[in-house]
Amino acid sequence: MSDGGSRIDIGSGEAMHALATELFPICRSITGEGVRETLRRLSTHIPMELVEIPTGTTVFDWTVPREWTIRDAYIKNAIGERIVDFRRSNLHVMSYSTPIHARLSRAELRPHLFSNEAQPESIPYRTSYYQENWGFCLPHEQLVSFEDGTYEVCIDSTLADGSLTYGECFLPGDQSDEVLVSCHVCHPSLANDNLSGISVATALAHALHTRQRRYSYRFLFIPGTIGAIAWLATNREKTTRIKHGLVLTCVGDPGRFHYKKSRRGNADIDRAVTHVLRQQTPAGEVLDFSPYGYDERQYCSPGFNLPVGCLMRSVWGQFPEYHSSADNLTLITPEALAGSLSVCEQVVEILEHNCTLTSTNPYCEPALGKRGLYRATGGSHVGDRNMARLWVLNFSDGQHDLLDIAERSALPFSVIHAAAAELEAHGLLRR
Ligand code: ZN
């Protein structure tokens, strides 16, 4: 559906896929113009502040690196043909490669060529952020075809003082307590591991920015690892406001959902996402926290220990296309992106509406029939509503919140919440 303007509503699966398609060719890295260009395009959809942190800034145990600029790169064969060409795929250049222009023998070139024998037709994705090096990535079947001879090698890049750029979209709510949504923006032409998270986070921010919000929402679009560390180091005082958080990644493929719990393991966000994933078909899988993965590693480092989990469909490293040119726009689908946005919106609904209520009639069941709140006949939906009222009344003892009741009754949170609102309106519950 068009919103009447030229732009399709970013909330649809097609629009999220179109956004990923628009961003796909941009050569992103942990710093540089690719990240800025990506963030500028996102800022046409949502309010976004671009923040620059200068090279050399100390952020906890790390230092913001020099900024990387890449203009061109190629390997030419003896007759001058570009047999490996950055213009065809930005994955061909190892990210953060230092500049080089030289003629090298095959033996000299070989240590700088990277391929993946297990996926011989794909270009692997390689980086060398914190160790100066240069390299080319190429399909293994091409690498083994290199003949003896001399090759012209060129990487037209610059590593120079500059800054690290991240994007922040802050949506103030009724409360200063915050929900954090974070995704990395540092991968070049890779769709599921990166652009899917960016697209869903943008669509979620877009959906939230026009609605009434109990919580404030902070969306971070940051380079992986160093970006999260830099944000935490420069915003330490804000972290105590973060009550719930989600890292979004690999949410565009049609695989079933996975959720990696926060380090706390029983935070409200863990319970909320677990509840929503249980209702999915097929049901999502919940994984325990581990100190590896995406930026939940930084948010859940022991000094912060924030309630931040990670929502994925297929798990990084476990799908064959991961970190290769096969993770392209055909791997992600509009339906999967829309399903991921829907899960995020259901989680937000729980966070926004979860509360603990107290029954005003704890001695035996209140007479629901005389209030028109009990219907003995009807379809299963009416049955659910009746059951939801009984569950809410019984467990609204000031000790159980609505999410507890949804978990215990195995009814969707939305049904429990609707029942609670109705019972509260009839004076049968109080806050
Ligand atoms: Zn990755």
Side-chain angles (χ1 to χ4, degrees):
M1 275 279 286
S2 167
D3 61 4
S6 57
R7 172 169 295 125
I8 304 169
D9 179 359
I10 185 65
S12 74
E14 286 75 17
M16 285 185 276
H17 197 277
L19 177 61
T21 304
E22 177 191 340
L23 300 175
F24 189 78
I26 300 173
C27 187
R28 283 163 292 270
S29 184
I30 52 172
T31 61
E33 204 44 40
V35 173
R36 285 191 200 95
E37 177 62 18
T38 299
L39 297 175
R40 278 196 287 266
R41 292 187 190 212
L42 297 182
S43 69
T44 66
H45 298 279
I46 54 173
M48 170 97 76
E49 186 193 354
L50 269 65
V51 181
E52 304 279 350
I53 301 187
T55 298
T57 305
T58 300
V59 286
F60 296 118
D61 200 34
W62 297 61
T63 305
V64 172
R66 289 185 291 167
E67 188 173 323
W68 187 61
T69 304
I70 175 81
R71 289 167 292 270
D72 193 13
Y74 57 82
I75 300 173
K76 283 185 182 170
N77 63 12
I79 56 166
E81 294 167 331
R82 284 182 175 235
I83 54 170
V84 175
D85 189 353
F86 173 74
R87 292 178 197 159
R88 278 209 294 268
S89 169
N90 55 38
L91 295 173
H92 277 310
V93 151
M94 182 167 71
S95 194
Y96 258 67
S97 280
T98 50
I100 181 161
H101 193 183
R103 287 181 180 280
L104 301 176
S105 69
R106 184 178 66 172
E108 290 168 318
L109 179 57
R110 183 63 188 85
H112 297 277
L113 300 180
F114 302 98
S115 68
N116 180 3
E117 218 174 324
Q119 306 287 334
E121 293 170 18
S122 301
I123 309 166
Y125 165 54
R126 283 278 197 134
T127 67
S128 187
Y129 297 140
Y130 303 105
Q131 196 172 11
E132 285 202 1
N133 196 2
W134 61 268
F136 286 90
C137 306
L138 63 165
H140 191 71
E141 59 185 20
Q142 187 187 8
L143 186 145
V144 296
S145 76
F146 271 43
E147 291 167 359
D148 208 8
T150 303
Y151 293 87
E152 181 189 341
V153 172
C154 174
I155 297 177
D156 181 11
S157 67
T158 311
L159 266 174
D161 285 357
S163 58
L164 174 151
T165 315
Y166 69 82
E168 185 160 4
C169 166
F170 181 67
L171 307 173
D174 296 337
Q175 301 178 5
S176 58
D177 287 347
E178 292 183 11
V179 179
L180 176 74
V181 178
S182 176
C183 62
H184 58 296
V185 291
C186 52
H187 287 28
S189 294
L190 294 169
N192 198 33
D193 178 12
N194 213 179
L195 291 172
S196 68
I198 293 173
S199 299
V200 171
T202 302
L204 182 63
H206 185 265
L208 283 170
H209 107 271
T210 50
R211 62 166 271 183
Q212 178 79 21
R213 297 175 297 269
R214 168 181 163 191
Y215 283 108
S216 300
Y217 288 79
R218 190 179 300 277
F219 287 81
L220 295 179
F221 297 85
I222 50 174
T225 306
I226 186 68
I229 292 169
W231 188 85
L232 286 163
T234 52
N235 293 276
R236 210 164 165 172
E237 76 291 348
K238 290 177 187 155
T239 60
T240 56
R241 294 185 216 147
I242 297 171
K243 302 304 175 201
H244 318 284
L246 268 185
V247 169
L248 296 180
T249 183
C250 302
V251 286
D253 69 285
R256 73 178 170 132
F257 285 100
H258 289 80
Y259 173 70
K260 177 181 157 184
K261 290 199 275 189
S262 74
R263 183 175 180 272
R264 299 184 189 184
N266 62 349
D268 286 357
I269 187 70
D270 301 324
R271 298 167 53 222
V273 182
T274 300
H275 177 71
V276 172
L277 292 197
R278 252 186 219 142
Q279 321 274 334
Q280 301 299 306
T281 312
E285 190 176 337
V286 177
L287 312 168
D288 282 329
F289 178 78
S290 61
Y292 198 60
Y294 291 93
D295 287 326
E296 69 279 4
R297 292 154 66 174
Q298 314 310 331
Y299 303 124
C300 296
S301 55
F304 289 107
N305 199 22
L306 296 174
V308 177
C310 179
L311 180 66
M312 300 160 276
R313 281 177 168 274
S314 291
V315 175
W316 61 273
Q318 292 182 15
F319 53 97
E321 300 88 352
Y322 174 75
H323 275 193
S324 83
S325 55
D327 181 358
N328 57 37
L329 294 163
T330 62
L331 182 63
I332 63 173
T333 68
E335 295 72 25
L337 291 162
S340 298
L341 177 62
S342 170
V343 163
C344 292
E345 288 179 325
Q346 290 172 63
V347 170
V348 164
E349 284 307 305
I350 295 176
L351 300 177
E352 287 282 309
H353 297 298
N354 193 28
C355 61
T356 303
L357 299 163
T358 305
S359 169
T360 57
N361 264 276
Y363 298 102
C364 300
E365 292 174 0
L368 296 178
K370 72 180 184 187
R371 296 175 172 91
L373 293 173
Y374 192 88
R375 293 173 193 88
T377 57
S380 61
H381 183 62
V382 173
D384 273 2
R385 280 167 59 183
N386 279 334
M387 288 307 292
R389 290 177 190 128
L390 296 175
W391 277 103
V392 171
L393 285 168
N394 191 291
F395 280 92
S396 289
D397 53 2
Q399 305 294 314
H400 296 86
D401 62 20
L402 294 181
L403 181 54
D404 284 324
I405 300 171
E407 287 171 326
R408 191 141 178 171
S409 65
L411 290 168
F413 181 87
S414 57
V415 174
I416 292 294
H417 172 241
E422 191 177 47
L423 293 166
E424 195 181 6
H426 280 85
L428 292 170
L429 296 172
R430 61 182 159 74
R431 302 227 161 204

